[in-house]
Amino acid sequence: MSGLGAIADNIERTITLSDRTKSLDSSLIHDNNDITKLANGEVCLTSESTNFRVGELLLPNGESYSGSLLGNIPEGSGKYRWSDGCRYVGEWRHGITHGHGKLEFPSGAVYDGEFSGGYMHGEGTYIGPDKVTYRGRWRLNLKHGLGYQMYPSGDIFEGSWMQGTPEGPGKYTWANGNVYFGNMKGGKISGKGTLTWINGDSYEGSWLNGAMHGVGMYTWSDGSCYIGTWTYSLKDGKGTFYPSGSRLTAGQELYLNALRKRGLLPDMKKQSQVSHIHHAASVDMGNVKVSGKLPERNLLNFGQSRPANVSLERRWSLEVAIEKVIGHNLDGDMEDAMSAPILEREYMQGILISEVVLNERFSPPSGRARRRQKRFVRELKRPGEAIIKGHRSYDLMLSLQLGIRYTVGKITPIQRRDIRNSDFGLRASFWMYFPKGGSQLTPTHQSEDFKWKDYCPMVFRNLREMFKIDAADYMMSICGNDALRELSSPGKSGSVFFLSQDDRFMIKTLRKSEVKVLLRMLPNYHRHVKTYENTLITKFFGLHRIKPSSGQKFRFVVMGNMFCTELRIHRRFDLKGSSLGRSADKVEIDENTILKDLDLNYCFYLEPSWREALLRQIEIDSKFLEEENIMDYSLLLGVHYRAPQHLQSLISCSGRTMADGLEIVAEEESLEDEISPQGLVLVPRGSDDSVVVGPHVRGSRLRASSATGDAEVDLLLPGTASRFQIQLGVNMPARAEYIPKEGQTQVFHEVYDVVLYLGIIDILQEYNMSKKLEHAYKSIQFDSVSISAVDPTYYSERFLEFIRKVFPTYAVAT
């Protein structure tokens, strides 16, 4: 399927109005004498002058102009006809079309609307030769902003356009009555949205390039529904089928609401708001009647009828057959419908591979059902606290979003160039005043007056581009309509952390001393990141300062979030290699708890070449930090567990729990599918469109010598809707083995398949006088080897030694 904007996007590209008006300008100015026909019909030669008059210009190339002139330059209202028959009637400024006008093309297409600088720019209506009709915003000859388009077939799209194609929220209505509400990307259905067919069926969930892809809910016209995951319109992974007449429990309703809050399902309230805005922008188009034929490769054909989808047909026939076997007929009375079973199903690429009856009439009550309800409730637990109006950080968030929007908007149009020495340091920074009432350069806002300072913007723009972060995506992620979330500080620094709504970016407050360190090391940091594409060091994307008119200064750094992934991170470890005070304070451990060195009682076995590459890169990065006089950094390690099937039965019988909480995860969550089924499958590299790539990751893919003959591979996980691109520190499959603590008897040899995410964080602490005094003081009380405050050289050596133990060689495994 190609983009919706395939029709009429190439608006008479052989006729570039801007170029023509510019050539007109140069033609009129080139000679002092032009052939001029005055209003009274007299033709004469005139010299260029500055008087304002009405006349007609006949150009040597056969083109003509009649209307207002300032000297020999069109100014005001006038008509221009090109030699090929193209005609413009409207306003001019300095010889360029500017203001309101009407442009008629030789093909019969017509544009009636606003012009600026020779371009269709502003509000305007375009009717193509095939009668496709667009009314809305334009930018530099392209549809850009809110717009309404009616196609020859009678289909209608109303919503957001960007650079000539539908992009962002919108509503697409097919002529036969099918309707899509949701997000578009590149002219295709992508993101979150709801498609409702005229027969009453609907799909609410994630889309990718016009296909159902990700988490979603398919509802049939009889009220039955299936909630699960899809891969390119094929059901893939686990889901639940609810027959007609069954009711969702309170926990299940909470679960669906949680999916909407997390952005995994579309928010119907937001969609209705978008629909209202779009309708208000296009109410005058209701009487337009067009007809014609569309190109074959077009999204318009997608919704013409209920799709002949193989997976949907297979799912329907299987369920009808199963219902007959069980003895229930969905076409029967309500009592039978209410007693129809709720089924948990697992699919692999559209094929049903397992099925379990869930409701109590067909299976006895058990702890499994209670644990499942707990899972629904836990889905609501998302890291952090949403910053809404009335929150202590609400004004700060508004100021931060305004500043970043201003910074990115100001620097993006500047032509790309190599980074210079003058782009670094305090002198490369600038500030802007944001009064509440707005100014010529800043908008009005609801926060208090503040000053915004942006450090080294060219350098951080280059870093964002280096990691292929689009400027528009960056702004939308941090400055969009959704609020940021505030996280509690996991360390002793007292820093405040904000998380973007899509989890891609982390924003951290810094001390003044940390800002100085980052600015000092920024040239070498930029060089290091550019040289080593696989570096595991924290990715910095912006450094800013806010000074409210009545308050203290706040300094922020924008970083990449290492744990932005579809997979749940079950355990998080902050590892330094020291032991003093290196255990979690919290007794109750959940997946958001930051565990430390002494809490880690697992080692992780990687494919040998991956382990070698990982340790080599960590050594390179720690050597860089040592040269920068940095210490007290950590390896942040996130673990996604895949529970082996044999371990589930053993644990369910033993009922063991351990103080660190990891066995509790295995006991409770494996049975309720929080930890996914066993299986880490390496497959040959797939097409880029079908692979999930970690955010802000550079470098090469990892190769598996044993699986595919030293070829690039992807990670395929049963129970998910995607395949994952494996890179250093991202989506790395491994085997975790339990290490019993001293004096503890190991009943079972515990082994987990896991997926790892890791990186080096907290790299802004210098070994300064304060840390030297801390080292001297603590060395008197404790073993100097166990404390964190040590010189960078020893810190680096100890850190590497500890990491090697966390990732041992296979020769050590039993």
Side-chain angles (χ1 to χ4, degrees):
M1 293 178 293
S2 63
L4 287 171
I7 301 175
D9 281 340
N10 184 12
I11 303 176
E12 305 290 336
R13 291 189 178 178
T14 57
I15 303 173
T16 305
L17 181 63
S18 178
D19 293 342
R20 288 180 166 181
T21 52
K22 289 175 183 176
S23 64
L24 163 67
D25 190 12
S26 60
S27 298
L28 294 174
I29 297 176
H30 182 70
D31 297 319
N32 287 334
N33 295 322
D34 282 312
I35 303 176
T36 305
K37 184 177 181 181
L38 301 179
N40 58 10
E42 181 181 356
V43 178
C44 64
L45 287 173
T46 63
S47 298
E48 183 178 357
S49 61
T50 59
N51 60 310
F52 186 84
R53 68 186 191 281
V54 176
E56 182 175 349
L57 299 178
L58 302 177
L59 302 181
N61 58 6
E63 298 175 356
S64 63
Y65 170 84
S66 61
S68 300
L69 293 166
L70 182 62
N72 285 339
I73 304 298
E75 184 77 19
S77 298
K79 301 178 182 179
Y80 193 92
R81 181 183 293 274
W82 283 267
S83 57
D84 58 5
C86 185
R87 184 175 64 175
Y88 171 80
V89 179
E91 297 176 318
W92 296 75
R93 179 183 294 177
H94 305 310
I96 302 291
T97 54
H98 192 95
H100 189 274
K102 184 176 182 180
L103 180 63
E104 299 176 357
F105 297 93
S107 63
V110 177
Y111 172 82
D112 189 351
E114 296 176 341
F115 289 80
S116 179
Y119 295 93
M120 295 179 284
H121 193 96
E123 291 283 344
T125 300
Y126 174 84
I127 301 177
D130 55 0
K131 301 306 179 184
V132 63
T133 302
Y134 171 84
R135 178 177 182 176
R137 300 290 300 177
W138 295 76
R139 182 179 179 183
L140 301 178
N141 287 350
L142 295 174
K143 304 165 190 173
H144 193 93
L146 284 180
Y148 175 108
Q149 179 155 309
M150 177 177 285
Y151 297 87
S153 63
D155 295 354
I156 295 171
F157 175 76
E158 48 185 329
S160 177
W161 295 72
M162 185 175 293
Q163 299 297 321
T165 59
E167 183 91 14
K171 176 184 177 183
Y172 194 94
T173 306
W174 284 265
N176 63 0
N178 297 338
V179 178
Y180 172 77
F181 255 126
N183 198 64
M184 311 290 293
K185 189 173 182 64
K188 301 177 182 179
I189 294 178
S190 286
K192 310 301 181 295
T194 301
L195 178 60
T196 304
W197 285 271
I198 192 172
N199 67 350
D201 289 3
S202 66
Y203 172 79
E204 173 190 0
S206 298
W207 299 79
L208 181 64
N209 294 331
M212 297 177 284
H213 188 86
V215 178
M217 177 170 68
Y218 194 101
T219 304
W220 284 266
S221 56
D222 65 354
S224 58
C225 69
Y226 177 81
I227 303 173
T229 56
W230 275 259
T231 301
Y232 293 104
S233 293
L234 294 174
K235 288 194 291 299
D236 196 13
K238 288 196 173 182
T240 306
F241 171 71
Y242 298 89
S244 176
S246 61
R247 296 180 180 178
L248 299 181
T249 66
Q252 291 157 353
E253 291 285 1
L254 285 174
Y255 176 63
L256 290 179
N257 290 333
L259 292 179
R260 291 187 177 96
K261 290 180 180 179
R262 295 177 65 182
L264 297 176
L265 288 180
D267 190 325
M268 302 305 293
K269 292 182 180 179
K270 289 185 178 179
Q271 289 185 1
S272 63
Q273 292 172 0
V274 170
S275 174
H276 175 73
I277 294 172
H278 296 164
H279 178 72
S282 56
V283 292
D284 297 332
M285 296 296 295
N287 296 324
V288 177
K289 295 182 180 180
V290 293
S291 61
K293 186 177 180 180
L294 294 172
E296 293 181 1
R297 294 189 62 199
N298 199 302
L299 178 59
L300 310 180
N301 300 321
F302 181 74
Q304 292 296 329
S305 61
R306 186 171 181 269
N309 186 294
V310 176
S311 66
L312 296 182
E313 291 178 352
R314 181 183 291 118
R315 195 220 66 79
W316 187 256
S317 61
L318 282 172
E319 281 161 5
V320 171
I322 290 170
E323 286 149 8
K324 290 180 179 178
V325 171
I326 296 176
H328 294 280
N329 187 348
L330 293 185
D331 295 328
D333 58 23
M334 181 57 67
E335 183 178 353
D336 290 337
M338 290 294 290
S339 62
I342 296 175
L343 306 173
E344 179 183 82
R345 291 179 166 164
E346 183 171 4
Y347 291 84
M348 183 170 289
Q349 294 295 304
I351 299 174
L352 180 65
I353 60 176
S354 68
E355 182 175 69
V356 177
V357 177
L358 293 184
N359 54 338
E360 294 184 355
R361 174 169 178 175
F362 294 93
S363 59
S366 66
R368 176 185 176 89
R370 291 190 297 271
R371 286 191 294 269
R372 179 172 291 279
Q373 297 304 317
K374 291 181 181 178
R375 182 185 72 177
F376 289 136
V377 174
R378 277 204 302 272
E379 284 286 352
L380 294 173
K381 292 179 63 178
R382 196 177 181 194
E385 177 183 2
I387 304 175
I388 60 177
K389 195 166 186 178
H391 191 280
R392 60 185 176 278
S393 300
Y394 182 71
D395 285 348
L396 187 60
M397 179 191 74
L398 292 182
S399 301
L400 176 68
Q401 291 176 325
L402 278 170
I404 289 179
R405 191 180 294 118
Y406 172 80
T407 292
V408 178
K410 179 177 179 178
I411 201 166
T412 299
I414 299 177
Q415 186 175 3
R416 290 182 177 87
R417 59 172 176 78
D418 293 335
I419 297 299
R420 308 164 182 163
N421 292 334
S422 58
D423 294 323
F424 296 95
L426 287 173
R427 292 187 177 181
S429 307
F430 69 87
W431 67 270
M432 175 58 63
Y433 179 58
F434 282 79
K436 188 172 184 177
S439 66
Q440 291 183 343
L441 299 176
T442 63
T444 58
H445 57 87
Q446 299 177 14
S447 181
E448 62 178 314
D449 298 354
F450 68 93
K451 284 186 178 181
W452 170 262
K453 188 170 186 178
D454 197 22
Y455 296 93
C456 308
M458 288 299 295
V459 177
F460 287 107
R461 166 186 153 169
N462 185 265
L463 287 170
R464 292 193 296 269
E465 292 172 348
M466 199 182 296
F467 288 96
K468 298 180 175 61
I469 297 176
D470 180 73
D473 290 343
Y474 183 72
M475 279 198 294
M476 286 301 297
S477 178
I478 300 175
C479 312
N481 294 328
D482 293 321
L484 302 177
R485 301 198 308 279
E486 182 176 325
L487 307 178
S488 58
S489 176
K492 300 177 182 178
S493 64
S495 297
V496 179
F497 290 82
F498 300 123
L499 191 61
S500 64
Q501 188 64 24
D502 59 4
D503 293 342
R504 292 181 63 193
F505 301 101
M506 188 86 72
I507 302 170
K508 177 186 177 182
T509 60
L510 298 180
R511 301 188 301 270
K512 185 177 181 179
S513 59
E514 291 176 312
V515 173
K516 289 182 177 180
V517 171
L518 180 53
L519 290 175
R520 175 188 62 76
M521 65 184 289
L522 191 57
N524 292 334
Y525 170 86
H526 181 272
R527 189 178 305 111
H528 181 84
V529 170
K530 186 176 181 180
T531 304
Y532 299 100
E533 292 187 338
N534 292 314
T535 181
L536 299 172
I537 287 179
T538 302
K539 280 71 176 180
F540 295 125
F541 301 127
L543 182 61
H544 317 286
R545 190 189 76 185
I546 294 173
K547 186 178 185 299
S549 57
S550 59
Q552 63 175 354
K553 297 177 183 177
F554 293 90
R555 300 168 181 87
F556 296 90
V557 64
V558 182
M559 309 176 292
N561 178 21
M562 287 171 36
F563 296 153
C564 180
T565 172
E566 292 182 9
L567 302 181
R568 295 189 66 170
I569 303 298
H570 295 106
R571 286 295 176 261
R572 304 161 192 254
F573 296 92
D574 182 285
L575 308 174
K576 293 180 181 291
S578 57
S579 57
L580 182 63
R582 298 298 296 163
S583 62
D585 297 329
K586 294 177 64 176
V587 176
E588 182 181 352
I589 296 174
D590 60 29
E591 63 185 42
N592 294 321
T593 304
I594 303 297
L595 302 171
K596 299 181 181 179
D597 303 60
L598 298 181
D599 303 311
L600 180 64
N601 52 1
Y602 281 83
C603 61
F604 302 96
Y605 292 96
L606 294 167
E607 201 273 341
S609 63
W610 298 356
R611 176 185 183 271
E612 181 182 352
L614 177 66
L615 294 180
R616 185 190 311 116
Q617 187 60 55
I618 293 177
E619 185 175 359
I620 291 172
D621 290 339
S622 59
K623 183 64 176 177
F624 163 73
L625 296 175
E626 177 187 338
E627 292 173 351
E628 294 295 321
N629 200 35
I630 301 296
M631 41 77 68
D632 213 21
Y633 46 88
S634 309
L635 182 77
L636 186 61
L637 174 65
V639 185
H640 169 80
Y641 287 88
R642 313 287 293 179
Q645 298 294 333
H646 72 274
L647 188 58
Q648 293 183 12
S649 59
L650 292 175
I651 293 177
S652 62
C653 296
S654 65
R656 295 177 296 110
T657 59
M658 302 299 295
D660 66 357
L662 292 178
E663 281 67 34
I664 296 176
V665 172
E667 179 186 358
E668 293 188 356
E669 296 187 350
S670 62
L671 288 179
E672 58 186 71
D673 304 320
E674 288 289 359
I675 297 183
S676 307
Q678 181 183 16
L680 295 176
V681 183
L682 297 183
V683 294
R685 172 180 177 174
S687 63
D688 292 339
D689 292 338
S690 64
V691 177
V692 176
V693 182
H696 42 73
V697 173
R698 298 172 68 218
S700 57
R701 297 174 183 236
L702 293 181
R703 297 173 174 268
S705 56
S706 58
T708 55
D710 193 30
E712 292 180 347
V713 291
D714 295 328
L715 175 63
L716 184 64
L717 303 180
T720 67
S722 305
R723 56 195 295 168
F724 298 82
Q725 179 173 306
I726 305 172
Q727 291 182 263
L728 210 61
V730 180
N731 301 325
M732 294 186 70
R735 191 179 82 240
E737 292 195 4
Y738 176 72
I739 304 173
K741 296 180 180 179
E742 186 176 352
Q744 183 182 47
T745 303
Q746 185 174 6
V747 181
F748 303 104
H749 180 65
E750 293 190 27
V751 178
Y752 290 93
D753 284 335
V754 296
V755 182
L756 304 180
Y757 299 82
L758 50 94
I760 298 175
I761 63 169
D762 296 337
I763 63 170
L764 299 179
Q765 179 57 61
E766 276 187 315
Y767 190 56
N768 51 24
M769 183 57 66
S770 173
K771 286 295 179 180
K772 292 177 181 179
L773 292 175
E774 180 184 342
H775 172 77
Y777 175 73
K778 289 186 176 180
S779 296
I780 299 174
Q781 297 179 302
F782 309 101
D783 182 1
S784 60
V785 176
S786 66
I787 62 178
S788 295
V790 294
D791 71 86
T793 300
Y794 179 70
Y795 192 95
S796 173
E797 294 172 354
R798 185 182 63 186
F799 180 72
L800 288 170
E801 182 181 355
F802 180 76
I803 298 303
R804 291 189 182 100
K805 294 177 182 178
V806 176
F807 301 99
T809 61
Y810 269 104
V812 180
T814 58

Coordinates of all heavy atoms in Angstrom, one line a residue, residues 561-602:
N561 N 17.0 6.8 26.9 CA 16.5 5.8 27.9 C 16.9 4.4 27.4 O 16.4 3.9 26.4 CB 15.0 5.9 28.1 CG 14.5 4.9 29.1 OD1 15.3 4.3 29.9 ND2 13.2 4.6 29.0
M562 N 17.8 3.8 28.2 CA 18.3 2.4 27.8 C 17.2 1.4 27.8 O 17.3 0.4 27.1 CB 19.4 2.0 28.7 CG 20.7 2.7 28.6 SD 21.8 2.2 29.9 CE 21.3 0.5 30.2
F563 N 16.1 1.6 28.6 CA 15.1 0.6 28.7 C 13.8 0.9 27.9 O 12.8 0.5 28.3 CB 14.8 0.4 30.2 CG 15.9 -0.1 31.1 CD1 16.0 0.2 32.4 CD2 16.9 -0.9 30.5 CE1 17.0 -0.2 33.2 CE2 18.0 -1.3 31.3 CZ 18.0 -1.0 32.6
C564 N 14.0 1.5 26.8 CA 12.9 1.8 25.9 C 12.7 0.5 25.0 O 13.4 0.4 24.0 CB 13.1 3.0 25.1 SG 11.7 3.4 24.0
T565 N 11.9 -0.4 25.4 CA 11.7 -1.6 24.7 C 10.3 -2.2 24.8 O 9.6 -1.8 25.8 CB 12.7 -2.7 25.2 OG1 12.5 -4.0 24.6 CG2 12.7 -2.8 26.7
E566 N 9.9 -3.0 23.9 CA 8.6 -3.7 24.0 C 8.6 -4.7 25.1 O 7.5 -5.0 25.7 CB 8.2 -4.4 22.7 CG 8.0 -3.4 21.5 CD 7.6 -4.2 20.3 OE1 7.4 -5.4 20.4 OE2 7.5 -3.6 19.2
L567 N 9.7 -5.2 25.4 CA 9.8 -6.3 26.5 C 9.8 -5.7 27.9 O 10.4 -4.6 28.1 CB 11.1 -7.1 26.3 CG 11.2 -7.8 24.9 CD1 12.5 -8.6 24.8 CD2 10.0 -8.7 24.6
R568 N 9.2 -6.4 28.8 CA 9.2 -5.9 30.2 C 10.6 -6.2 30.8 O 11.2 -7.2 30.7 CB 8.1 -6.6 31.0 CG 6.7 -6.3 30.5 CD 5.7 -6.9 31.4 NE 5.7 -6.2 32.7 CZ 4.8 -6.3 33.7 NH1 3.8 -7.1 33.4 NH2 4.9 -5.7 34.8
I569 N 11.1 -5.1 31.5 CA 12.3 -5.3 32.2 C 12.0 -5.8 33.6 O 11.4 -5.0 34.4 CB 13.1 -4.0 32.3 CG1 13.4 -3.4 30.8 CG2 14.4 -4.1 33.0 CD1 14.2 -4.4 30.0
H570 N 12.2 -7.1 33.9 CA 11.8 -7.6 35.2 C 12.8 -7.2 36.3 O 12.3 -7.1 37.5 CB 11.8 -9.2 35.0 CG 10.7 -9.6 34.1 ND1 11.0 -10.1 32.8 CD2 9.3 -9.7 34.2 CE1 9.9 -10.5 32.2 NE2 8.8 -10.2 33.0
R571 N 14.0 -7.1 36.0 CA 15.0 -6.7 37.0 C 16.0 -5.7 36.5 O 16.4 -5.7 35.3 CB 15.8 -7.9 37.6 CG 14.9 -8.8 38.5 CD 14.5 -8.1 39.7 NE 13.7 -8.8 40.6 CZ 12.3 -8.7 40.6 NH1 11.8 -7.8 39.8 NH2 11.6 -9.4 41.5
R572 N 16.4 -4.7 37.3 CA 17.3 -3.6 37.0 C 18.4 -3.6 38.0 O 18.1 -3.6 39.2 CB 16.6 -2.3 37.0 CG 15.4 -2.2 36.0 CD 14.4 -1.1 36.4 NE 13.1 -1.2 35.7 CZ 12.8 -0.5 34.6 NH1 13.5 0.5 34.2 NH2 11.6 -0.7 34.0
F573 N 19.6 -3.6 37.5 CA 20.8 -3.6 38.4 C 21.7 -2.4 38.1 O 22.0 -2.1 36.9 CB 21.6 -4.9 38.2 CG 20.9 -6.1 38.6 CD1 20.1 -6.9 37.7 CD2 20.9 -6.6 40.0 CE1 19.4 -8.0 38.1 CE2 20.2 -7.7 40.3 CZ 19.5 -8.4 39.4
D574 N 22.2 -1.8 39.2 CA 23.2 -0.7 39.1 C 24.5 -1.3 39.6 O 24.6 -1.4 40.9 CB 22.7 0.5 39.9 CG 23.7 1.7 39.8 OD1 24.7 1.6 40.4 OD2 23.4 2.6 39.1
L575 N 25.5 -1.5 38.8 CA 26.7 -2.3 39.2 C 27.9 -1.4 39.1 O 28.2 -0.8 38.0 CB 26.8 -3.5 38.3 CG 25.6 -4.5 38.2 CD1 25.9 -5.6 37.2 CD2 25.3 -5.0 39.6
K576 N 28.7 -1.3 40.2 CA 29.9 -0.5 40.3 C 31.1 -1.3 40.5 O 32.2 -0.9 40.1 CB 29.8 0.5 41.4 CG 28.7 1.6 41.2 CD 28.7 2.6 42.4 CE 27.7 3.7 42.2 NZ 28.0 4.6 41.2
G577 N 31.0 -2.5 41.1 CA 32.2 -3.3 41.4 C 32.6 -3.1 42.8 O 33.6 -3.7 43.3
S578 N 32.0 -2.2 43.6 CA 32.3 -2.0 45.0 C 31.2 -2.7 45.9 O 30.2 -3.2 45.3 CB 32.3 -0.5 45.4 OG 31.0 0.1 45.1
S579 N 31.5 -2.8 47.2 CA 30.6 -3.6 48.0 C 30.0 -2.8 49.2 O 28.9 -3.2 49.7 CB 31.3 -4.8 48.6 OG 32.5 -4.5 49.3
L580 N 30.6 -1.7 49.6 CA 30.1 -1.0 50.7 C 28.8 -0.3 50.4 O 28.8 0.6 49.5 CB 31.2 0.0 51.2 CG 30.8 0.9 52.4 CD1 30.7 0.0 53.7 CD2 31.9 1.9 52.7
G581 N 27.8 -0.7 51.1 CA 26.5 -0.1 50.9 C 25.8 -0.4 49.6 O 24.9 0.3 49.2
R582 N 26.3 -1.5 48.9 CA 25.8 -1.8 47.6 C 24.7 -2.9 47.6 O 24.9 -4.0 47.1 CB 27.0 -2.2 46.7 CG 28.0 -1.2 46.5 CD 27.5 0.0 45.8 NE 27.0 -0.3 44.4 CZ 26.2 0.5 43.7 NH1 25.7 1.6 44.3 NH2 25.8 0.1 42.5
S583 N 23.6 -2.6 48.3 CA 22.5 -3.4 48.3 C 21.2 -2.5 48.4 O 21.3 -1.4 48.8 CB 22.5 -4.4 49.5 OG 22.4 -3.7 50.7
A584 N 20.1 -3.1 47.9 CA 18.9 -2.3 47.8 C 18.3 -2.1 49.2 O 18.3 -3.0 50.0 CB 17.8 -3.0 46.9
D585 N 17.8 -0.9 49.5 CA 17.3 -0.5 50.8 C 15.9 -1.1 50.9 O 15.4 -1.4 52.0 CB 17.2 1.0 51.0 CG 18.6 1.6 51.0 OD1 19.6 0.9 51.4 OD2 18.8 2.7 50.5
K586 N 15.1 -1.2 49.8 CA 13.7 -1.6 49.9 C 13.6 -3.1 50.2 O 14.3 -3.9 49.6 CB 13.0 -1.3 48.6 CG 12.9 0.2 48.3 CD 12.2 0.4 47.0 CE 10.8 -0.1 46.9 NZ 10.1 0.2 45.6
V587 N 12.7 -3.5 51.1 CA 12.5 -4.9 51.4 C 11.6 -5.5 50.3 O 11.8 -6.6 49.9 CB 11.8 -5.0 52.8 CG1 11.4 -6.5 53.1 CG2 12.7 -4.5 53.9
E588 N 10.6 -4.7 49.9 CA 9.7 -5.2 48.8 C 10.3 -4.8 47.5 O 10.5 -3.7 47.2 CB 8.3 -4.6 49.0 CG 7.3 -5.1 47.9 CD 6.0 -4.4 48.1 OE1 5.7 -3.7 49.1 OE2 5.1 -4.6 47.2
I589 N 10.5 -5.8 46.7 CA 11.2 -5.6 45.4 C 10.2 -5.8 44.3 O 9.5 -6.8 44.2 CB 12.4 -6.6 45.3 CG1 13.4 -6.4 46.3 CG2 13.0 -6.6 43.9 CD1 14.6 -7.4 46.3
D590 N 10.2 -4.9 43.4 CA 9.4 -5.0 42.2 C 10.2 -4.7 41.0 O 11.4 -4.5 41.1 CB 8.1 -4.2 42.2 CG 8.4 -2.7 42.3 OD1 9.5 -2.3 41.8 OD2 7.6 -1.9 42.9
E591 N 9.6 -4.7 39.8 CA 10.4 -4.5 38.6 C 11.0 -3.1 38.4 O 11.9 -2.9 37.5 CB 9.6 -4.9 37.3 CG 8.4 -4.0 37.1 CD 7.6 -4.6 35.9 OE1 7.4 -5.8 35.9 OE2 7.1 -3.7 35.1
N592 N 10.6 -2.2 39.2 CA 11.1 -0.8 39.1 C 12.2 -0.6 40.2 O 12.8 0.5 40.2 CB 10.0 0.2 39.3 CG 9.0 0.2 38.1 OD1 9.4 0.0 37.0 ND2 7.7 0.3 38.4
T593 N 12.4 -1.5 41.0 CA 13.5 -1.4 42.1 C 14.8 -1.4 41.4 O 15.1 -2.3 40.6 CB 13.3 -2.5 43.1 OG1 12.0 -2.5 43.7 CG2 14.4 -2.3 44.2
I594 N 15.7 -0.5 41.8 CA 17.1 -0.5 41.3 C 17.9 -1.4 42.3 O 18.2 -1.0 43.4 CB 17.7 0.9 41.2 CG1 16.8 1.7 40.3 CG2 19.1 0.8 40.7 CD1 16.8 1.2 38.8
L595 N 18.3 -2.6 41.9 CA 19.1 -3.5 42.7 C 20.6 -3.1 42.5 O 21.0 -2.5 41.5 CB 18.8 -4.9 42.3 CG 17.4 -5.3 42.5 CD1 17.1 -6.7 41.9 CD2 17.0 -5.3 44.0
K596 N 21.5 -3.6 43.4 CA 22.9 -3.2 43.3 C 23.8 -4.5 43.4 O 23.3 -5.6 43.3 CB 23.2 -2.3 44.5 CG 22.4 -1.0 44.4 CD 22.7 0.0 45.5 CE 21.9 1.3 45.4 NZ 22.2 2.2 46.5
D597 N 25.0 -4.3 43.5 CA 26.0 -5.3 43.4 C 25.7 -6.5 44.2 O 25.8 -7.7 43.8 CB 27.4 -4.8 43.7 CG 27.8 -3.6 42.8 OD1 27.1 -2.6 42.9 OD2 28.8 -3.7 42.1
L598 N 25.5 -6.3 45.5 CA 25.3 -7.4 46.5 C 23.9 -8.1 46.2 O 23.7 -9.2 46.8 CB 25.4 -6.9 47.9 CG 26.7 -6.3 48.3 CD1 26.7 -5.9 49.8 CD2 27.9 -7.3 48.0
D599 N 23.0 -7.5 45.5 CA 21.7 -8.1 45.2 C 21.8 -9.1 44.0 O 20.9 -9.9 43.8 CB 20.7 -7.1 44.9 CG 20.5 -6.1 46.1 OD1 20.4 -6.5 47.2 OD2 20.6 -4.9 45.8
L600 N 22.9 -9.0 43.3 CA 23.0 -9.8 42.0 C 23.5 -11.2 42.4 O 24.7 -11.3 42.8 CB 23.9 -9.1 41.0 CG 24.2 -9.9 39.7 CD1 22.9 -9.9 38.9 CD2 25.2 -9.2 38.9
N601 N 22.7 -12.2 42.2 CA 23.2 -13.6 42.5 C 22.9 -14.4 41.2 O 22.6 -15.6 41.3 CB 22.5 -14.2 43.7 CG 21.0 -14.1 43.6 OD1 20.4 -13.6 42.6 ND2 20.3 -14.6 44.6
Y602 N 23.1 -13.8 40.1 CA 23.1 -14.5 38.8 C 24.4 -14.1 38.0 O 24.9 -13.0 38.1 CB 21.9 -14.2 38.0 CG 20.6 -14.9 38.4 CD1 19.9 -14.4 39.5 CD2 20.2 -16.0 37.8 CE1 18.7 -15.0 39.9 CE2 19.0 -16.7 38.2 CZ 18.3 -16.2 39.3 OH 17.2 -16.8 39.7

